Structures are given as C-alpha cells and as structure tokens.
Amino acid sequence: MYYSSGNYEAFAKPEKPEGIEKKHAYIVGSGLAGLAAACFLIRDAQMPGENITVFESLPIAGGSCDGLHDPQKGYIMRGGREMDNHFECMWDLFRSIPSIVNPGETIFSEYYKLNKEDPNYSLCRVTEKQGQDAHTDRQYGLNKNAEKQILKLMLSTDEELADKKIDDVFDEDFYKTNFWIYWQTMFAFEKWHSALEMKLYMQRYIHHIDGLPDLSALRFTRYNQYESMILPMLKYIEDAGGKIAYNTQVTDIQCETSPTRKAARYIAYVQDGVEKHLELTDDDFVFITNGSQGDGSAYGDQTHAPEITIKNGQGPSIELWKKLAAQDDAFGHPDKFFKDIKETSWESWTVDTANKQILSAIEKICHRDPLSGKVVTGGIVTAKDSSWLMSWTINRQGQFVDQPDDHCLIWVYGLNCWDDDGDYVHKPMYKCTGEELCQEWLYHIGIPVDEIDELAKQCNTTPCMMPYVTSFFEPRAYGDRPLVVPVGSVNIAFVGQYAETPRDTVFTTEYSIRTAMEAVYTLCNVDRGVPEVWGSVFDVRELIKAGVKMNDGKMIKEWPLPASQKAAIAAAFKLINNTEISKLLIRLGAAEKKDFAPIVEMPKVKVEVTSRVSELKDSKTAKIGAGVTVASLMAIAALLHKKKS
C-alpha cells in the first residue's frame, strides 16, 4: 500500500490482484468502516461478492451512522456527520456508489450538486440569554498568550503530546475565547481529552479556519446518514453478491502470533442465539472493527430517561478487542479508551415538532424557514450560558424520507450530562425524560417560561445516552491503537475509529473509510495509491490565511507581537518588496503595499554620503580612511540598488 496525491492515481483502475478469486473476506461490524471495506473489496480488489461476509450483531446495519424511525419511540438521530471537501478517500469511494434516490447519480454527485445549490453556513452560531444572538460575529478573540499556546501545540511532535490532555497545554487565556466555544462544541472536545488529537485536528483542517466561526466549511447529506450513505452502500454490496449476516455477534478471534508473523485462525460467533465458528487459512482475510463509540447506547422516550446498564470497559465490541489485545501487544490497548464512562459520554435527543410557535422561535434565531427543505441552522447553534453546554441543529427537512412535510426534527446534544443541573430543569441531564430535555431546549431558544411545559408536551422527544461516544478522544500514545495492518500480519486488519493511520483525525466519516481503504489495499495488494491526507498544513497560503483569520482579519503588523518581533518582521518585509512573497501576503490580506517600502533609495544614499564626507573632511581619521569609507558606502548602496531592481 502506498499514498498518492493528485488525480493521476484517482482516475486509475487497478489490475485485478493475482489469485483474488480464491480469497475470502470476513468483516466484523457493518458500520461505515466495515461496509467501506466490503465496497473496496468489490470495486478495487475485485473479489467476488459471494466471497465477502459482513457480521453485524444488530438487526440493522450502519453502526453509528444511524437514523431510525421507531414506531414506539419516534425518530432517532444519535448524532450527525459533518463532511469536508477534502475527505479524499470518502469521495473516491462514493463516486462509485449509485444513489438510491436519484437515478443516474452517485452518492458523491448527488451530494456535490446539493451543496453547490444550497451551500451551508450559519447566521447565528452562538446564543445567550434565552435565544439572543451572542454576537460572536465570526471573531476568535485570541490574545497573545492564547495564540502562543495554539502555535506551540501546532508545532509539537506526536511524541511530545503522548498521553497529554488538552488541559496540559492550555489555560484560561485560551478557554475564555470564542475559538474554544467554536471548537469544543463543534467537535465535542473536553479539557481532559487528547492534546495529540486536538493537534491533529488543527493541522488537518487548517484550510477551514475561516469557515469555523460560521460553519461554512461544512457540508451535509440530504437525508439522515443512514438513508443517504448506508442504504446505498448496502445495496451496492448485496447487488454484487456480498452477504450481511445480521444478529451475529463475533465473540472471539484466535490468532497465531510471533514478532514477525500474525495470522487469524479461528472466528467464534453467535448467530440468532446459536454458537458457531469458522476455521481460517492465510487466504481468509479478517477485517475487524475494534471498539465502538456506540457500544452500550441507552434510549429513553418522552416519559422515560435513558438508563446506562453497562460499566466501564463493558460492551461487545470492546470485549472482543480485549481478547485480541491479550494475544499480542501489536493489537493495541483498549483499556486506554474505555476506562471512565463519565469522561467519554454525552447525551443527545431528537425533538419532533410541528408547533408553529416553536418553529417561529427557531426562525427568529437562525433567520431561515425551518420547513423550506434547504439549509436551516447551517450547523450547530450553541447556548454559551447553558449549564449543560447545549448545542442544537436542524439540517434540511425532512431528514427522513417518510417524515411528514409539516414536521421539523431538531437534534440537540449536551456535553455536561452528569453533575450539573439544567437552567430550567433542576436536575442533571442524564436523569431527564425526553419531555424534560425538550423543556430545557425550549428555555434556551427563548420560549416564554410560563409556556415551556405545555409546548414540551406537544413535541415528541427521544433521548439517547452514549457512554463511549468520545472514547477515541481519550489521551493516548503510539501503540495504544493497532496499526491498520499490524507489522507481520498475513490476514488481519483493523478498521474504524480505533485503528492507527498517520495524520488523519477520528470522529469523522473519512477516518472510517480511509482505514478500510488502507486495509483492503494492503491485504489484497491492490496496486493503486490511497489518497494521502489533504496537506493544507504544508501549504504556505493556507498557513497565512489561517494566521490572518485567527487574528480576526488583522494584518501581520497588527498582530499582538512583541516590539522586537514586529521590528524584525518590518525589516524582513522591506527585503521582499516587489517579490512574489510580498504579492502573496497582500493578496491574502496579511499585509498592504506600503508595508514593503524600499529598504534604500539611491538619491538619499548619495546625499547622505556627501554630507558625512563633508562633516569629516578635516578629521585625521577621515583623512586616513575617507577613500575607503566612501567607496564602501557606495558599494553597499550599489548592491542594495541592484537587489531592489
């Protein structure tokens, strides 16, 4: 497996790997990573579909990419997926998966046209005081110390940040900024999460710094992620002859391991309550989704709070990973990620409403008609003074194909779910029923207090508590996650959010699909490049733009730098006058033309030289060295003139 950039490899169709017809693939988990692995096996490895089996413990596929209409509970969306134009592996795959909604389109072309015609951006990113615009106004509000901390993080090595928390590298100067409000609520980072992962995020998305305050960097599917992505992938796999084995829990995978060779030899599983097993050879590839952010998810309803019944480290996917890790250290350290549910959980809830008063309150905040079928909030709206640190969003309605035209679905989530009482509901989030969660949200969108209780009854709210939803953000070091294909592996690969691949970031659709692509290309020896992670962090243009935007549009001379640094920059600017560098800085808003005044002008040099010679002509020192001095000054002036021209 090798990485590539540009479209030379992107347009190539690889040759069929030798002997692929004799290979079989067993994929553990039908989340996005598992299904992507099946798709790459079919399209690029050209493995016969009938040789591919996907094991899924639930009666439905999709993993965390869900969207469900439960007849008893109502519509359920545990989370959303924010996508980027440089998810290179994702778009590489989705250009080949036909849409099931629009004949003749692919998932990619459908998505591309939608986001071109209806681009995403927010008109109100942050609120306070019960639905009033907090007027963050696309500003970051970073002071000199906060900027210094960000720069230090950006330049730190992965090794320096191993096992460090965000709180180890930032202080209140940073946490009090708009930057942290935007960042924490958009990505669900907490202060105790991995500083290494935060660095990777900052480097990965440096090209979107301009779009972070108003979320214009983001793109969304037309419907929920299950209907827009998972269902088309399932059809593609099944049309090719691939099998999805539902209600099938893989309980153990036994491997032969040594420092130089690792091979899976046995899969134990329970299918519809019956224990079964498979004997494996080197020609039987096993793609393992190790760990799951959705393990142990608990659902409530309008009148019941969700109840987490598992304890730290419990969950079928986690327990399978623990059994693997016990066999070889190269298979990772799952205990690093699942040790404390209070650190890795948050709660979300889906509000279903057709109430005109609520829809009017929404429109007052986001300045768009919630039922227009187009972008509504343009990403999350954060209530900055919420005790639960609550955010909410409304994507294009309807979010489900069967959703009534006059209904609006709102996705809400809160990061502080264990210890803090709400601002209207005086109990912690995890103890609240759907109705009570809806009350708290209505309070923060400005519904009059004396009307909240009655309006909450008119909505249907379905909560979901996810104990491990941000477990992959836990502090870690290299080796805690297994490599996608461990060194010496013959037929074992790991896919999904807990596998190790360089430079990319977890909690993204791209990460799941990238690990799947790397796994298939490595084990099957597919001779085509895997697109490298987009390299905007190495693009000087993006770095300059990010510097300007993070300083709230100020030019370099206005940045909060010490006087000595400003003087050095001013001197450097004069040396690059009328160069491509100065033109670039001006074009990107980092400087203006007058910042590059010439370092020397020949007429002034001649006047200065004549004046100095006249002053010193009677001096003994001058008489001795006048000729040398004049000659030296004129030579320097000539050199500078030559450099300038």
Side-chain angles (χ1 to χ4, degrees):
M1 192 275 291
Y2 60 95
Y3 295 113
S4 63
S5 61
N7 55 24
Y8 181 73
E9 293 273 351
F11 293 149
K13 180 180 178 180
E15 295 292 329
K16 180 185 286 190
E18 184 178 351
I20 195 68
E21 298 89 350
K22 299 177 182 178
K23 314 287 186 182
H24 289 78
Y26 300 97
I27 300 169
V28 181
S30 73
L32 188 59
L35 296 182
C39 291
F40 284 122
L41 284 166
I42 293 164
R43 189 193 73 176
D44 296 337
Q46 300 168 64
M47 179 180 284
E50 57 269 22
N51 292 6
I52 301 169
T53 302
V54 181
F55 296 122
E56 174 50 55
S57 63
L58 300 174
I60 188 171
S64 296
C65 285
D66 57 6
L68 176 67
H69 185 199
D70 184 300
Q72 282 73 46
K73 295 181 183 294
Y75 289 104
I76 301 171
M77 299 180 291
R78 286 187 295 178
R81 295 296 175 269
E82 302 159 334
M83 281 152 290
D84 171 79
N85 56 325
H86 286 300
F87 279 6
E88 307 298 318
C89 296
M90 180 175 178
W91 304 130
D92 185 286
L93 176 62
F94 282 174
R95 66 181 171 83
S96 301
I97 309 296
S99 166
I100 61 173
V101 176
N102 297 307
E105 301 286 355
T106 63
I107 299 179
F108 168 70
S109 65
E110 176 182 79
Y111 178 97
Y112 178 83
K113 292 176 182 178
L114 172 69
N115 285 277
K116 278 288 189 180
E117 294 167 1
D118 184 27
N120 185 81
Y121 59 94
S122 169
L123 296 173
C124 180
R125 174 64 179 84
V126 183
T127 62
E128 61 183 350
K129 301 173 183 177
Q130 295 174 256
Q132 296 181 38
D133 193 333
H135 284 294
T136 51
D137 297 331
R138 304 188 78 248
Q139 302 293 293
Y140 282 115
L142 295 164
N143 63 23
K144 180 169 66 175
N145 190 44
E147 288 191 346
K148 184 178 179 181
Q149 292 171 19
I150 290 174
L151 184 60
K152 183 178 180 181
L153 177 68
M154 283 279 290
L155 297 177
S156 296
T157 65
D158 291 2
E159 292 76 16
E160 288 177 289
L161 297 174
D163 290 323
K164 283 190 176 180
K165 302 175 182 178
I166 291 171
D167 216 19
D168 293 330
V169 296
F170 291 112
D171 61 24
E172 285 304 313
D173 271 346
F174 175 73
Y175 294 135
K176 68 185 180 184
T177 65
N178 289 341
F179 186 101
W180 178 240
I181 292 175
Y182 301 147
W183 190 274
Q184 180 182 28
T185 56
M186 177 177 171
F187 298 120
F189 274 104
E190 299 276 24
K191 295 178 182 179
W192 55 81
H193 283 157
S194 168
L196 168 58
E197 192 63 37
M198 183 166 178
K199 181 201 83 163
L200 292 172
Y201 260 80
M202 294 187 72
Q203 292 183 340
R204 174 72 162 88
Y205 302 110
I206 195 76
H207 57 287
H208 283 324
I209 287 295
D210 185 28
L212 183 61
D214 67 357
L215 303 174
S216 57
L218 304 180
R219 291 156 178 80
F220 296 94
T221 53
R222 175 59 186 87
Y223 298 104
N224 64 83
Q225 53 213 318
Y226 179 75
E227 291 180 325
S228 286
M229 297 192 297
I230 299 302
L231 287 180
M233 295 174 79
L234 286 171
K235 187 175 188 304
Y236 181 84
I237 294 164
E238 291 171 337
D239 284 352
K243 299 177 289 294
I244 314 294
Y246 294 104
N247 299 308
T248 303
Q249 178 68 59
V250 175
T251 57
D252 195 14
I253 301 172
Q254 287 296 313
C255 306
E256 292 177 357
T257 67
S258 73
T260 58
R261 180 180 168 84
K262 306 179 196 322
R265 288 292 175 247
Y266 180 93
I267 296 178
Y269 60 98
V270 178
Q271 188 171 51
D272 294 321
V274 180
E275 293 186 0
K276 299 182 179 182
H277 71 274
L278 286 169
E279 303 283 348
L280 304 174
T281 71
D282 287 358
D283 287 336
D284 297 316
F285 300 142
V286 184
F287 299 87
I288 306 162
T289 308
N290 55 306
S292 169
Q293 69 175 140
D295 261 6
S297 292
Y299 298 92
D301 58 30
Q302 179 80 347
T303 56
H304 297 87
E307 294 184 26
I308 292 180
T309 57
I310 63 171
K311 296 180 180 179
N312 292 332
Q314 292 182 341
S317 179
I318 300 162
E319 289 162 24
L320 174 63
W321 186 9
K322 286 181 178 180
K323 290 178 182 178
L324 281 159
Q327 299 177 55
D328 197 297
D329 192 60
F331 296 161
H333 308 137
D335 288 340
K336 290 289 284 284
F337 303 97
F338 306 101
K339 63 184 183 296
D340 189 345
I341 286 173
K342 280 197 170 185
E343 285 191 358
T344 60
S345 56
W346 43 255
E347 186 171 3
S348 70
W349 54 101
T350 307
V351 180
D352 180 1
T353 186
N355 182 274
K356 302 298 184 185
Q357 184 177 351
I358 295 174
L359 296 178
S360 178
I362 291 169
E363 187 167 356
K364 184 178 178 182
I365 291 172
C366 67
H367 308 291
R368 294 186 178 108
D369 176 6
L371 300 179
S372 67
K374 295 183 177 295
V375 165
V376 185
T377 58
I380 60 171
V381 180
T382 296
K384 65 179 291 187
D385 51 359
S386 163
S387 298
W388 292 348
L389 196 53
M390 179 194 300
S391 298
W392 56 279
T393 186
I394 303 172
N395 289 331
R396 300 176 181 95
Q397 300 296 301
Q399 267 291 283
F400 288 76
V401 173
D402 68 351
Q403 183 179 325
D405 292 342
D406 61 339
H407 280 239
C408 182
L409 296 181
I410 304 97
W411 181 79
V412 193
Y413 94 108
L415 287 172
N416 301 337
C417 55
W418 290 101
D419 301 315
D420 299 307
D421 287 354
D423 301 295
Y424 178 81
V425 179
H426 299 298
K427 62 170 71 172
M429 187 194 309
Y430 79 98
K431 291 184 177 180
C432 292
T433 66
E435 185 176 320
E436 290 168 330
L437 293 168
C438 184
Q439 290 170 1
E440 186 74 8
W441 172 68
L442 292 174
Y443 173 81
H444 280 288
I445 66 168
I447 296 297
V449 171
D450 60 352
E451 300 176 35
I452 287 175
D453 290 3
E454 180 56 35
L455 289 179
K457 286 181 171 63
Q458 297 178 30
C459 302
N460 185 68
T461 302
T462 309
C464 178
M465 190 75 173
M466 292 166 281
Y468 300 124
V469 65
T470 57
S471 51
F472 34 58
F473 281 168
E474 287 291 271
R476 68 173 190 273
Y478 185 80
D480 289 336
R481 305 184 303 189
L483 297 176
V484 171
V485 178
V487 175
S489 171
V490 174
N491 64 349
I492 305 166
F494 294 91
V495 298
Q497 303 294 314
Y498 303 89
E500 182 76 41
T501 189
R503 289 184 47 221
D504 218 338
T505 55
V506 296
F507 212 176
T508 62
T509 50
E510 172 72 355
Y511 201 87
S512 291
I513 294 174
R514 172 173 293 280
T515 55
M517 191 176 193
E518 292 181 1
V520 169
Y521 277 40
T522 302
L523 289 185
C524 297
N525 196 26
V526 175
D527 189 12
R528 176 176 179 258
V530 172
E532 68 172 358
V533 174
W534 185 249
S536 52
V537 71
F538 306 119
D539 187 333
V540 67
R541 298 167 299 180
E542 299 294 352
L543 295 174
I544 293 169
K545 283 196 293 184
V548 172
K549 298 305 177 184
M550 289 179 70
N551 281 278
D552 295 327
K554 297 183 180 71
M555 290 183 283
I556 293 174
K557 63 185 177 184
E558 301 169 299
W559 292 2
L561 300 171
S564 58
Q565 292 182 19
K566 285 191 173 185
I569 291 171
F573 273 14
K574 296 183 187 305
L575 291 174
I576 58 173
N577 182 43
N578 285 338
T579 66
E580 290 296 330
I581 300 174
S582 64
K583 288 164 62 178
L584 180 65
L585 291 170
I586 293 168
R587 186 168 73 249
L588 297 177
E592 54 187 336
K593 191 169 184 179
K594 66 181 182 181
D595 296 334
F596 302 97
I599 192 168
V600 64
E601 296 180 19
M602 285 304 294
K604 290 184 179 179
V605 170
K606 292 177 181 177
V607 171
E608 181 69 16
V609 170
T610 302
S611 173
R612 290 303 177 97
V613 170
S614 177
E615 290 173 10
L616 297 173
K617 63 182 179 180
D618 294 328
S619 157
K620 281 188 177 182
T621 304
K623 289 178 180 177
I624 294 171
V628 175
T629 302
V630 171
S632 299
L633 287 171
M634 293 303 293
I636 292 170
L639 285 170
L640 289 171
H641 179 68
K642 183 177 180 181
K643 181 178 182 63
K644 176 191 169 189
S645 60

